[in-house]
Each structure stands twice: as C-alpha cells, then as structure tokens.
C-alpha cells in the first residue's frame, strides 16, 4: 500500500510547554490548537498520528478530535516514549 505523509493538520496557535503544566492545564492548553483547511485525506485510508512523548495524552487527544471533526475515522497513534503523569 502507498504511504503518504500528510501535513494538513496544523498547529494554529502557540501554546505553553506541556511539561510545565498539570493534567487539567494540559487539556485546556490544547483546546482548539489544531486545525487545517480542506483535508484531502481519503476517509477509508488509515491515518497514523506520531507523537514523541505521551504523558497525559492531551496533545494526541486534541489532534484526534480535530481529525474526527473532519470525519476521518481510521486513526492509529504511535508514540516513541511514555511517561507517567
């Protein structure tokens, strides 16, 4: 199968550094952070979101919400490290 790198999901605003915040602050920090114009991703193709470190999951949940709002349903998450919150 073809693998394409999609750069259509964009960070719309600068946020505070997540590592300095508690779990609730991280969630609030990620509200409405991601977006993008017309997503040209075939809805039947799986999407892989890649994140460097998963701590509270706030960043990845915000990205997933943005993609699901665009009707993209086949999402997979890959993280390189997991920390404890």
């Amino acid at each position: 199968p073809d693998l394409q790198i999609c750069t259509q999901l964009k960070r719309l605003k600068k946020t505070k550094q997540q590592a300095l915040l508690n779990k609730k602050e991280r969630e609030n920090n990620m509200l409405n952070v991601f977006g993008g114009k017309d997503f040209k991703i075939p809805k039947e193709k799986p999407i892989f979101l890649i994140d460097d470190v998963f701590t509270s999951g706030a960043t990845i949940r915000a990205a997933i919400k943005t993609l699901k709002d665009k009707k993209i349903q086949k999402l997979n998450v890959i993280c390189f490290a997991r920390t404890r919150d």
Side-chain angles (χ1 to χ4, degrees), residues 6-34:
C6 174
T7 58
Q8 295 171 1
L9 185 65
K10 302 285 186 190
R11 182 180 286 266
L12 301 177
K13 63 182 181 180
K14 188 172 173 86
T15 57
K16 295 178 186 175
Q17 186 178 353
Q18 291 288 86
L20 304 175
L21 307 174
N22 66 37
K23 187 174 182 178
K24 183 65 176 168
E25 291 169 330
R26 289 175 186 189
E27 294 289 335
N28 290 334
N29 196 39
M30 289 289 107
L31 288 176
N32 303 312
V33 168
F34 296 109

Side-chain angles (χ1 to χ4, degrees), residues 54-66:
F54 185 101
T55 301
S56 69
T59 303
I60 214 71
R61 276 195 299 280
I64 287 169
K65 181 185 181 320
T66 300

Side-chain angles (χ1 to χ4, degrees), residues 24-25 29 35 42 46-47 49 55 61 68 71 74 76:
K24 183 65 176 168
E25 291 169 330
N29 196 39
I47 302 297
L49 294 173
T55 301
R61 276 195 299 280
K68 286 192 171 190
K71 307 295 186 229
K74 294 183 179 184
N76 301 281

Side-chain angles (χ1 to χ4, degrees), residues 38-85:
D38 302 323
F39 283 78
K40 296 178 175 88
I41 303 168
K43 294 181 180 29
E44 68 279 357
K45 297 273 187 183
I47 302 297
F48 289 86
L49 294 173
I50 300 172
D51 196 4
D52 57 348
V53 179
F54 185 101
T55 301
S56 69
T59 303
I60 214 71
R61 276 195 299 280
I64 287 169
K65 181 185 181 320
T66 300
L67 291 169
K68 286 192 171 190
D69 287 349
K70 299 288 186 178
K71 307 295 186 229
I72 295 168
Q73 297 299 317
K74 294 183 179 184
L75 298 169
N76 301 281
V77 176
I78 299 170
C79 293
F80 294 102
R82 170 75 168 107
T83 62
R84 299 210 183 258
D85 200 15

